[in-house]
Amino acid sequence: MTVLSLRNVWKIYGGDVVAVRDASFQAADGEFVALLGPSGCGKSSTMRMIAGLEDISRGDILFGEEVVNQLSPKDRNVALAFESYALYSPMTVRENLEFPLRSRGLATDVITAKVAEIARTFQIDDLLDRRPSKLSGGQAQRVSLARALIRDPNVMLLDEPLSHLDYRLRTELRVRIRRIHDELNATTIYVTHDQEEAVALSDRIIVMNHAEIQQFGEIETLWKRPVNRFVAGFLGDPAMNFVDVRLTDGRAVAAAGDISYDAGIGNGQAVLGFRPEEVDIVAAAEVDGGLKGEILVNEFHGERCVLTVDSGSGQLKAVDRGDSPWRAGDTVALVLRPEAVHLFDSDTGLAVRHGTEAQT
Amino acid sequence: MSVLRLDGVSKNYGRTEALRDVSFECEEGEFFTLFGPSGAGKTTILELIAGIKDGYSGRIEIKGRGAEDLAIQDRNVSMAFEYYALYPHLSVGENIAFPLRSPRAQKLGEAEIARKVQWTADELGIGHLLDRNPVQLSGGQKQRVSLARALVRPADVYLLDEPIAHLDAKLRSIARANLKAMARNLGATILYVTHDFREALGLSDRVLVLNEGRVLQIAEPRDLYHRPATDFVGHLLGDPAMNLVDGVLVDTPDGPVFEAAGIRIALSDALIDEARARLARGAADIRLGVRPSGVAVSADAVEGATGLPVYTVEHATDHALVYFRIGEAYLGGTAPFGSPLSTGDQAWLRLKDGAGFLFDASFALSASSGMKEAAR
Amino acid sequence: MRKALFWLAVGLMVFVFVFPVLWIYVTALKAPDDIFSDNPFIFTPTLENFDYLINVRPAFGELLNSMIMSVCSTIIVMLISLPAAYSFARFNTGNGHILFITISTRMFPGVVAAIPFFLLFRTLGLLDTHLGLVLLYTYFNMSFATFLLYGFFREIPESLEHAAMLDGYDRITILRRIVFPLIKPGVAITTMFCLIWSWNEFLFAFLFTRRVARTVSVGQSTFWGSVEIQWGPMAALMCIAVLPTLIAAWIMQRHVVRGLTFGAVKG
């Protein structure tokens, strides 16, 4: 059981390509942390440095109090599950599971007991004598996870373990992964580009982009107080709407309409962000304020409907209830709630204000 | 008159049955979706209509004319292929213009062709790529080029095979709306193939659910979602997926309840009458289907609720999903955002009013998986 | 240091492969006395060997013959193999059996066919004629070319043609506008292989020609007399004879390197 810390860690390839820039964070003992970002953001490089698969260009990685920079992957006792299954194909599932234990010279009866235990956890008991080629994608992925976790690792590192799978199976394995984490209580770093997966699984999320950590926090913090446009836009589906506004005398004026909004920063240009879930949709004729536009499409998704509104400020998304009465062609106003809007600097994209509070 | 009609179409590949007795009609201007897991036979239907594949039984009519009498070139259908089929030696612009230069297309001047190509490309967000070579594009961009090439010319039916499946989630959400708007502007009759339930529900006028070559249900999206004909249809629609639990109906002094692995769950009012009728028929074996949104979970004991230990908890930005184990099956329910429940805690679940379905089991829930991998 | 070793290895490899060619070119420029001198690289260059090939024992006719044989046979081969390969690749004509029979002509040593062909050609009066050798080369190259082109056609996804058909194009136009541009590198490579093979072919040319249709490869062997071997003129003729092959190989290499990119279709 381990506290994992990164202190000013850099990864530089070939002298000038910076893959990870000055990353620092600490994952608490037994915490489930997601490393979230688009492809090429440096999340996998970060993970590989923690695993010991790549040298650290600068900075320190600590397991507990110990700097592990110079330790080989074997000595760090990390469990690693990859995106691809990477099972040893000539061996049966049982032999695959035994493999990491045999290399540590454990007694046969201990090995047998451990295999039985992990197989029960992952519900692969009935697959133990099969070969990897006879497994379905979901089964192979479970075996792969089981093999990674069988030796009570200090730290569990999961690199997009579910991205190859059908979403239905993904949802199911997600539940199991979280459950296994809760049982083993191992500090876990989960690398993913899927914001929904990160939100569903983790205690806290690190959002990365362009080799840098953008924000590290609990879901509620990221959701309600994103530090910049990138974090605000990356979480959520449909994504947050961004509208260029001019701030004047307690109002925010956009091309599509204006809202009463006291930014408290004087007048000027800014970007207003609001989540599709946090608007009221009313007929345009019924209100004065709000962002007005014509409904381009109303998509029924079951529990909810997603509206695409063509407005003077571009296409805006809004989420309505499953029995949404709106039809394409209707003119509506999206009425924003002042407590649920975010204000960003037009140039830097940094958050200025969330609802009625200033960004601190 | 229907633009497209299939009547009892069956198709075999050797001994493998690809389609069995498929019948449906598309009206003029309709957005009609073929929805199902991969391998269901969706693409085969498109290929038969396009004439790329033949050797079927039954009848296919395009605008009232039997397809078997029509050469591919005379069918006047347009198709976007899932794997793009872009001409690698032509620029993106030339690819999109290709259908407009066809000998059977209406003769257009170069300026008119350029205008149409630009408009279509702009609508799909690839207007800036016209001079590129297809090999320089990302998968998502290629897919939109392929879609643009299919939509650029007038056709009786547009056959779109998973046309936005390879876009990333954010782009897909934008492309979905644009595609729908474009289809409406063109007044096009669209036969759309997808395995993504959001596309099926969000875009379509009607949806045909296909599995293993057979039609399970044809309905409008809202009917499909609220009245799935089988457990399989219900299971395909929604994220998180519908819970499916095999069990029996048991008659108690308080009315019928559902029981599985020794755990009893009270039925919602909506299901009581059906449960009585089933019990009266002696059909006690049942598969309960209920979406996680239809299961309320609370940390405190509630009248009529079932108490169970929490298997695990997932979060979303506006609620928490709490999972339980019932025998081999999982049952997920929703709790308010910030719920303090976590693994191992005792919690209470109950079906919300109007929630849940009673199904006859139509496919096996795999024992080792809990859920069904057949439904890829 | 590693770089130096790398280039040393490369230099060595290049030397091994280029040495024979270099030797021929050097020999061609030597007077008979220099050819066997102790120091192979110190001599006074002379063009007398080339003069011999022009004035004393003209080799022009043999070069022309080789040219005619290889070009004519290659044209015929391509005219037959292209449609054949397309048909095998697209329509699976003959369920693979005909393709197999076609290829099987390459599975026995050429000599085996020599005797029946010799008898046949004698009856038909085709011995020592241009037509005779052109037919033979066509026979041997066709199977090879068909097989090669079959592979290239298979690389072109059928969906490209389907897409064009749905847009209303007929098959001929599709072949011209879609298939041919994509098969071009394959055609170039196949053509080069056929040309090089026919140009270099010796066995059948030696058996089936005497004087009229004698090719340059057979011509070279005439310097190997019973009394003496004329190394100088032989080397000079070789210099000329390898030129087309070298040029062909150079052109082909560009096509091979450029390769067939069908990335627009998948991935």
Side-chain angles (χ1 to χ4, degrees):
Chain A
M1 300 304 104
T2 310
V3 176
L4 167 71
S5 323
L6 269 70
R7 288 189 191 154
N8 307 99
V9 170
W10 290 65
K11 179 70 206 180
I12 304 167
Y13 290 105
D16 55 352
V17 182
V18 178
V20 179
R21 184 190 303 274
D22 200 19
S24 300
F25 66 84
Q26 189 169 70
D29 183 15
E31 191 175 24
F32 197 117
V33 174
L35 200 47
L36 173 69
S39 61
C41 72
K43 57 188 192 296
S44 285
S45 296
T46 306
M47 197 219 66
R48 286 202 298 273
M49 285 191 285
I50 299 172
L53 299 175
E54 276 193 43
D55 295 337
I56 299 159
S57 304
R58 233 182 280 165
D60 289 321
I61 293 179
L62 292 85
F63 286 10
E65 296 299 314
E66 187 193 2
V67 175
V68 296
N69 290 20
Q70 301 305 323
L71 292 186
S72 71
K74 179 164 71 72
D75 298 326
R76 295 188 191 191
N77 192 23
V78 292
L80 196 60
F82 288 103
E83 179 176 0
S84 47
Y85 314 128
L87 295 175
Y88 311 121
S89 54
M91 302 183 188
T92 62
V93 168
R94 185 191 306 280
E95 287 161 346
N96 263 284
L97 294 178
E98 288 171 348
F99 195 76
L101 301 177
R102 289 204 187 284
S103 68
R104 305 191 159 218
L106 292 178
T108 311
D109 52 334
V110 176
I111 291 178
T112 314
K114 274 189 161 290
V115 168
E117 185 192 334
I118 199 96
R120 232 186 351 265
T121 315
F122 279 90
Q123 294 181 296
I124 47 175
D125 330 42
D126 49 342
L127 307 175
L128 286 176
D129 295 319
R130 292 209 205 158
R131 297 208 181 259
S133 58
K134 297 274 187 275
L135 301 178
S136 73
Q139 292 169 334
Q141 191 56 279
R142 269 185 280 150
V143 174
S144 164
L145 283 168
R147 194 184 58 188
L149 301 180
I150 196 164
R151 54 202 165 73
D152 300 330
N154 287 331
V155 174
M156 247 162 73
L157 300 173
L158 309 177
D159 189 1
E160 309 238 9
L162 305 181
S163 65
H164 277 333
L165 305 174
D166 159 64
Y167 81 94
R168 221 160 287 280
L169 198 56
R170 214 153 57 207
T171 324
E172 190 207 329
L173 281 179
R174 219 158 72 182
V175 174
R176 284 181 207 239
I177 287 176
R178 178 68 209 201
R179 167 76 184 200
I180 285 153
H181 164 268
D182 292 349
E183 281 177 5
L184 299 178
N185 211 22
T187 310
T188 302
I189 305 290
Y190 189 96
V191 174
T192 180
H193 67 275
D194 181 339
Q195 53 96 19
E196 196 193 326
E197 204 165 281
V199 169
L201 281 170
S202 28
D203 301 318
R204 287 194 291 169
I205 299 177
I206 299 167
V207 181
M208 280 190 87
N209 193 33
H210 296 318
E212 284 185 69
I213 293 182
Q214 307 286 317
Q215 193 168 4
F216 178 28
E218 290 176 6
I219 294 144
E220 195 171 358
T221 313
L222 296 182
W223 188 253
K224 294 190 172 155
R225 306 181 66 82
V227 294
N228 57 29
R229 269 186 72 163
F230 178 80
V231 176
F234 202 76
L235 266 80
D237 179 28
M240 184 184 278
N241 296 296
F242 296 106
V243 176
D244 290 323
V245 292
R246 193 161 40 81
L247 300 168
T248 49
D249 310 324
R251 299 192 78 73
V253 183
D258 62 330
I259 65 161
S260 169
Y261 182 71
D262 182 10
I265 55 162
N267 299 342
Q269 291 290 338
V271 174
L272 192 75
F274 62 96
R275 298 206 178 270
E277 295 88 345
E278 292 171 338
V279 293
D280 295 316
I281 306 159
V282 290
E286 288 173 18
V287 286
D288 289 336
L291 303 175
K292 292 183 177 161
E294 187 187 304
I295 294 181
L296 195 64
V297 179
N298 184 357
E299 293 174 65
F300 171 70
H301 286 173
E303 297 306 313
R304 57 184 202 171
C305 287
V306 177
L307 276 64
T308 306
V309 178
D310 209 5
S311 80
S313 299
Q315 282 190 6
L316 302 174
K317 300 270 183 191
V319 171
D320 200 2
R321 294 196 319 257
D323 55 355
S324 169
W326 303 107
R327 303 175 64 87
D330 291 350
T331 311
V332 293
L334 304 182
V335 179
L336 313 187
R337 305 166 200 155
E339 71 278 11
V341 298
H342 307 264
L343 201 66
F344 302 93
D345 187 287
S346 302
D347 301 320
T348 63
L350 292 176
V352 177
R353 216 174 156 73
H354 302 290
T356 51
E357 292 167 44
Q359 167 77 21
T360 45
Chain B
M1 186 188 70
S2 55
V3 175
L4 181 68
R5 199 166 78 85
L6 269 72
D7 193 6
V9 172
S10 299
K11 161 92 185 155
N12 295 320
Y13 293 119
R15 276 192 207 147
T16 322
E17 192 175 57
L19 294 176
R20 170 84 172 271
D21 196 21
V22 173
S23 304
F24 66 89
E25 290 186 34
C26 290
E27 302 301 322
E28 176 108 44
E30 188 173 18
F31 200 118
F32 192 92
T33 296
L34 306 177
F35 170 65
S38 63
K42 308 181 296 277
T43 300
T44 305
I45 294 178
L46 291 197
E47 287 172 339
L48 290 179
I49 295 166
I52 295 167
K53 292 230 170 85
D54 50 16
Y56 59 92
S57 64
R59 186 163 170 82
I60 298 176
E61 280 178 15
I62 302 167
K63 285 229 157 174
R65 295 192 294 172
E68 57 270 33
D69 305 330
L70 295 169
I72 295 182
Q73 288 88 345
D74 296 326
R75 297 189 181 203
N76 196 24
V77 299
S78 185
M79 183 160 172
F81 294 78
E82 185 184 359
Y83 287 104
Y84 328 132
L86 301 182
Y87 310 122
H89 58 300
L90 302 179
S91 71
V92 167
E94 282 302 311
N95 262 283
I96 300 174
F98 200 75
L100 296 174
R101 301 187 200 280
S102 149
R104 317 223 173 188
Q106 186 197 353
K107 282 277 165 285
L108 297 173
E110 280 305 310
E112 179 65 7
I113 288 179
R115 197 190 61 73
K116 275 181 179 270
V117 168
Q118 188 69 51
W119 182 83
T120 314
D122 285 343
E123 282 293 298
L124 293 166
I126 47 166
H128 57 296
L129 300 174
L130 293 183
D131 294 328
R132 298 267 193 94
N133 189 283
V135 291
Q136 298 169 299
L137 304 184
S138 73
Q141 290 170 330
K142 284 177 202 168
Q143 192 152 40
R144 281 178 285 166
V145 176
S146 167
L147 188 55
R149 191 180 60 187
L151 293 175
V152 75
R153 74 174 173 104
D156 290 337
V157 185
Y158 295 87
L159 309 172
L160 309 182
D161 192 357
E162 304 262 13
I164 59 175
H166 300 290
L167 273 56
D168 70 50
K170 293 262 138 91
L171 271 175
R172 198 155 59 225
S173 149
I174 296 167
R176 216 165 42 212
N178 287 348
L179 179 62
K180 176 72 180 172
M182 209 171 154
R184 200 176 42 232
N185 289 344
L186 294 169
T189 308
I190 289 182
L191 190 58
Y192 189 92
V193 161
T194 184
H195 69 276
D196 180 335
F197 80 93
R198 285 190 185 85
E199 289 170 31
L201 293 179
L203 297 176
S204 324
D205 296 317
R206 283 190 302 154
V207 180
L208 180 155
V209 185
L210 195 71
N211 188 40
E212 293 176 340
R214 289 156 204 255
V215 178
L216 297 183
Q217 190 170 5
I218 301 176
E220 290 177 13
R222 283 163 204 252
D223 280 343
L224 199 65
Y225 189 77
H226 296 299
R227 282 177 284 284
T230 72
D231 49 351
F232 194 80
V233 176
H235 154 73
L236 284 179
L237 300 165
D239 180 22
M242 180 184 278
N243 301 299
L244 294 174
V245 185
D246 288 337
V248 290
L249 294 169
V250 181
D251 213 0
T252 70
D254 300 331
V257 298
F258 175 80
E259 184 182 305
I263 297 160
R264 286 190 172 185
I265 298 173
L267 294 173
S268 60
D269 292 347
L271 300 178
I272 293 285
D273 287 344
E274 191 186 341
R276 284 218 172 85
R278 279 179 179 268
L279 281 171
R281 288 207 309 270
D285 287 346
I286 200 75
R287 175 168 289 176
L288 174 69
V290 59
R291 299 202 167 87
S293 58
V295 180
V297 179
S298 62
D300 309 312
V302 182
E303 165 90 35
T306 307
L308 281 174
V310 171
Y311 179 74
T312 192
V313 181
E314 278 194 356
H315 301 282
T317 48
D318 55 353
H319 61 269
L321 273 170
V322 182
Y323 286 90
F324 303 93
R325 294 294 310 259
I326 295 181
E328 288 291 311
Y330 295 90
L331 183 76
T334 45
F337 183 80
S339 160
L341 288 170
S342 68
T343 302
D345 293 352
Q346 183 78 359
W348 277 263
L349 70 97
R350 71 178 174 81
L351 304 193
K352 291 184 187 169
D353 289 345
F357 304 93
L358 298 177
F359 294 117
D360 294 313
S362 73
F363 64 103
L365 302 172
S366 148
S368 79
S369 146
M371 266 185 228
K372 33 278 120 182
E373 300 191 4
R376 264 180 304 119
Chain C
M1 182 60 197
R2 281 177 65 176
K3 271 223 160 105
L5 275 175
F6 171 77
W7 286 114
L8 190 74
V10 169
L12 206 68
M13 292 295 289
V14 169
F15 180 74
V16 166
F17 284 106
V18 169
F19 181 74
V21 181
L22 202 70
W23 188 262
I24 289 167
Y25 273 84
V26 171
T27 308
L29 295 172
K30 285 179 181 174
D33 292 344
D34 288 330
I35 290 174
F36 292 104
S37 77
D38 289 339
N39 196 328
F41 291 106
I42 298 173
F43 61 94
T44 321
T46 167
L47 287 174
E48 69 178 69
N49 292 326
F50 292 93
D51 182 67
Y52 183 86
L53 288 180
I54 296 164
N55 295 320
V56 184
R57 183 206 164 283
F60 183 71
E62 292 165 351
L63 284 166
L64 188 67
N65 280 345
S66 277
M67 191 81 77
I68 291 170
M69 310 297 184
S70 29
V71 170
C72 288
S73 69
T74 301
I75 290 173
I76 298 172
V77 163
M78 293 309 285
L79 285 178
I80 298 172
S81 293
L82 268 171
Y86 181 75
S87 148
F88 287 133
R90 266 303 168 264
F91 310 115
N92 193 23
T93 311
N95 288 324
H97 300 304
I98 300 179
L99 180 64
F100 176 77
I101 291 168
T102 314
I103 298 162
S104 69
T105 59
R106 269 298 172 103
M107 293 181 185
F108 52 83
V111 194
V112 175
I115 293 166
F117 270 122
F118 191 85
L119 298 174
L120 182 69
F121 276 30
R122 195 176 59 188
T123 315
L124 296 173
L126 289 173
L127 290 178
D128 201 17
T129 63
H130 290 85
L131 179 62
L133 217 53
V134 166
L135 286 178
L136 269 178
Y137 288 174
T138 305
Y139 172 80
F140 281 107
N141 269 337
M142 200 162 57
S143 58
F144 176 64
T146 307
F147 186 63
L148 213 57
L149 288 169
Y150 168 78
F152 286 119
F153 276 120
R154 286 287 293 260
E155 296 256 317
I156 303 175
E158 208 175 355
S159 60
L160 293 185
E161 290 168 61
H162 287 152
M165 266 189 245
L166 284 165
D167 289 336
Y169 287 89
D170 54 56
R171 215 173 251 283
I172 299 297
T173 317
I174 293 169
L175 286 175
R176 192 165 54 80
R177 303 262 316 261
I178 305 293
V179 178
F180 192 71
L182 293 177
I183 200 78
K184 253 193 315 204
V187 169
I189 291 169
T190 313
T191 307
M192 289 305 158
F193 270 123
C194 289
L195 281 175
I196 292 172
W197 188 86
S198 328
W199 182 270
N200 289 339
E201 203 284 330
F202 176 75
L203 178 68
F204 282 87
F206 182 71
L207 293 175
F208 284 68
T209 62
R210 280 287 167 276
R211 186 160 290 106
V212 184
R214 188 163 70 192
T215 64
V216 76
S217 56
V218 179
Q220 272 162 9
S221 68
T222 59
F223 296 103
W224 196 291
S226 48
V227 187
E228 65 158 351
I229 301 169
Q230 293 172 289
W231 290 110
M234 189 202 273
L237 186 56
M238 279 178 179
C239 288
I240 300 165
V242 295
L243 271 182
T245 327
L246 285 179
I247 294 167
W250 182 68
I251 295 171
M252 196 162 71
Q253 163 206 302
R254 283 175 47 199
H255 275 291
V256 172
V257 170
R258 201 180 58 173
L260 292 158
T261 27
F262 291 118
V265 180
K266 271 214 172 185

